[in-house]
Amino acid sequence: MSFVPITRGCVSMDSLLPITHRFGSCSGPIGLPVEEGGKRRHLQRKWNTKPLQVVAIHRYQDRFLRRQGRAVDATGVARSVLAAKSPKPKTVRMRFGQVVVGPPGSGKTTYCRGLQEFLHGVGRESRVLNLDPANDRLPYECDVDVRNLIEAEEVQTELGLGPNGSMVYCMDYLASNLDWLEERIHALPENVYMIVDCPGQVELFTLHDSLRKVVDHMVRTLQCRLACVHLIDAHLCQDAGKYIGAVLLSLNTMLHLALPHVNVLSKIDLLGRYGELAFDLEYYTDAQDLEYLLHELNADPLASRFEKLNRGLCEIVGDYGLVQFMTLHVEDKELMGQLLKGVDKAVGYVATGQGTTPGS
């Protein structure tokens, strides 16, 4: 139903009232009488009405306009009343969680199981999402399993790919079917804490775009507040070259995934089995002044040939100044609690009696 203002101070009701109305002795399309120059003028025709009938016409027109969600202002221009009472946008409750990545053997699946049990012990409901299509032995209860969509073993058989190639194919397939993941995340309760167990292929979270696309979709479209927990086996601290490589891997992962990041030295309880460290454990958790490790590297005849390269890599880590590590022993409740607090701080999670709220 359209409205066309005709002139200043008057409106036409022909477009608003498609039928003929009768008020006493007046009949025909209703026009809006207005005062102009001290004389009463009508837009459509002169009305044979009495003053009380004109007042009744005005009241009827006002009621009609309000029923249609419109009103007439002082200048006679129709405006919307319901526009000011437009419905508020639907509130989307944020979902909190962590994306667990790391090289093979770093303890990702064990950590996910331990974190699920730890959260249950402290009264926080959680759900585990398995995004590893090659993990056929899950020690935890899994609510979302990517193997229901695609399995790495089937890809290897049908396409003749190797383990790494099939894994890349599976993650590309998941990134192309994000609606499958979205439906299952929406089916989860609103206040659950999500634990995302990812594959261990390093190229997936350092070079390839598929996992990053999945994470970006969860953050931007599904309004998930996620932190990346990157696990590194603590025994790498025993070798200077391996430790520098692990630090570079952590830095690369931070820059590639672009999430709030918590780096972790896992299996810290087994560190003593590999001998004494060259420096205190705090030195390795701070990951600063890596130049002190160059002396140990230069003692190796093979590594000494790349002294300039090693020095440049150490300087890159120091220039960024982003990498630090927390320590983890899954069965140590104190270390698990400290790590969980660090992740909660990274995503702004505040645990309350009524659910979760973003921190200030």
Side-chain angles (χ1 to χ4, degrees), residues 139-212:
Y140 48 72
E141 296 180 3
C142 183
D143 290 80
V144 179
D145 193 349
V146 72
R147 294 177 303 166
N148 296 329
L149 176 67
I150 188 171
E151 291 188 5
E153 185 177 357
E154 294 181 357
V155 172
Q156 294 181 40
T157 303
E158 296 180 5
L159 301 181
L161 298 176
N164 290 341
S166 62
M167 187 65 66
V168 172
Y169 181 90
C170 290
M171 296 308 296
D172 285 340
Y173 189 82
L174 174 61
S176 301
N177 295 272
L178 292 174
D179 54 339
W180 177 88
L181 181 63
E182 184 173 345
E183 291 176 0
R184 280 146 184 81
I185 291 180
H186 282 315
L188 298 176
E190 289 185 346
N191 295 328
V192 298
Y193 191 86
M194 297 189 303
I195 307 170
V196 185
D197 190 4
C198 296
Q201 272 64 18
V202 174
E203 60 268 24
L204 294 177
F205 51 87
T206 57
L207 299 174
H208 208 256
D209 290 335
S210 56
L211 182 59
R212 184 174 62 180

Side-chain angles (χ1 to χ4, degrees), residues 126-139:
S126 63
R127 296 290 188 274
V128 179
L129 287 69
N130 175 42
L131 297 188
D132 187 353
N135 191 353
D136 55 353
R137 296 181 180 180
L138 299 178

Side-chain angles (χ1 to χ4, degrees), residues 25-291:
S25 60
C26 65
S27 63
I30 300 177
L32 203 64
V34 296
E35 293 291 338
E36 185 170 303
K39 297 180 181 180
R40 182 172 292 277
R41 183 177 64 83
H42 298 278
L43 176 66
Q44 302 293 341
R45 66 178 66 177
K46 292 184 179 180
W47 295 81
N48 182 19
T49 58
K50 298 179 181 179
L52 293 178
Q53 292 174 327
V54 173
V55 173
I57 292 173
H58 280 283
R59 290 178 178 175
Y60 176 81
Q61 292 170 341
D62 185 69
R63 290 196 301 270
F64 176 83
L65 291 172
R66 291 188 181 278
R67 285 199 302 268
Q68 298 297 322
R70 309 168 71 87
V72 180
D73 57 17
T75 62
V77 179
R79 56 185 174 83
S80 175
V81 174
L82 297 180
K85 299 180 180 180
S86 58
K88 297 181 179 179
K90 184 179 179 180
T91 302
V92 180
R93 184 178 293 275
M94 291 184 179
R95 300 175 183 271
F96 293 82
Q98 52 185 265
V99 179
V100 184
V101 299
S106 58
K108 298 183 300 299
T109 301
T110 303
Y111 167 71
C112 291
R113 176 187 58 81
L115 179 60
Q116 186 181 42
E117 296 176 355
F118 183 83
L119 290 173
H120 178 74
V122 298
R124 286 167 60 172
E125 188 177 3
S126 63
R127 296 290 188 274
V128 179
L129 287 69
N130 175 42
L131 297 188
D132 187 353
N135 191 353
D136 55 353
R137 296 181 180 180
L138 299 178
Y140 48 72
E141 296 180 3
C142 183
D143 290 80
V144 179
D145 193 349
V146 72
R147 294 177 303 166
N148 296 329
L149 176 67
I150 188 171
E151 291 188 5
E153 185 177 357
E154 294 181 357
V155 172
Q156 294 181 40
T157 303
E158 296 180 5
L159 301 181
L161 298 176
N164 290 341
S166 62
M167 187 65 66
V168 172
Y169 181 90
C170 290
M171 296 308 296
D172 285 340
Y173 189 82
L174 174 61
S176 301
N177 295 272
L178 292 174
D179 54 339
W180 177 88
L181 181 63
E182 184 173 345
E183 291 176 0
R184 280 146 184 81
I185 291 180
H186 282 315
L188 298 176
E190 289 185 346
N191 295 328
V192 298
Y193 191 86
M194 297 189 303
I195 307 170
V196 185
D197 190 4
C198 296
Q201 272 64 18
V202 174
E203 60 268 24
L204 294 177
F205 51 87
T206 57
L207 299 174
H208 208 256
D209 290 335
S210 56
L211 182 59
R212 184 174 62 180
K213 289 180 181 179
V214 174
V215 172
D216 286 345
H217 184 77
M218 294 177 65
V219 172
R220 300 179 185 274
T221 304
L222 304 183
Q223 300 295 316
C224 298
R225 297 284 292 272
L226 302 175
C228 178
V229 177
H230 186 206
L231 301 182
I232 296 292
D233 199 324
H235 87 273
L236 298 179
C237 298
Q238 299 287 344
D239 185 277
K242 293 180 181 179
Y243 173 74
I244 294 176
V247 174
L248 289 172
L249 176 63
S250 300
L251 178 61
N252 193 0
T253 305
M254 296 175 73
L255 299 178
H256 184 71
L257 294 182
L259 288 175
H261 211 89
V262 179
N263 296 300
V264 181
L265 293 176
S266 62
K267 306 179 184 179
I268 198 68
D269 55 309
L270 304 178
L271 188 59
R273 297 184 180 182
Y274 302 96
E276 295 183 359
L277 298 175
F279 301 94
D280 293 338
L281 181 60
E282 185 178 357
Y283 172 81
Y284 295 95
T285 57
D286 291 341
Q288 298 297 322
D289 300 324
L290 299 184
E291 290 80 4

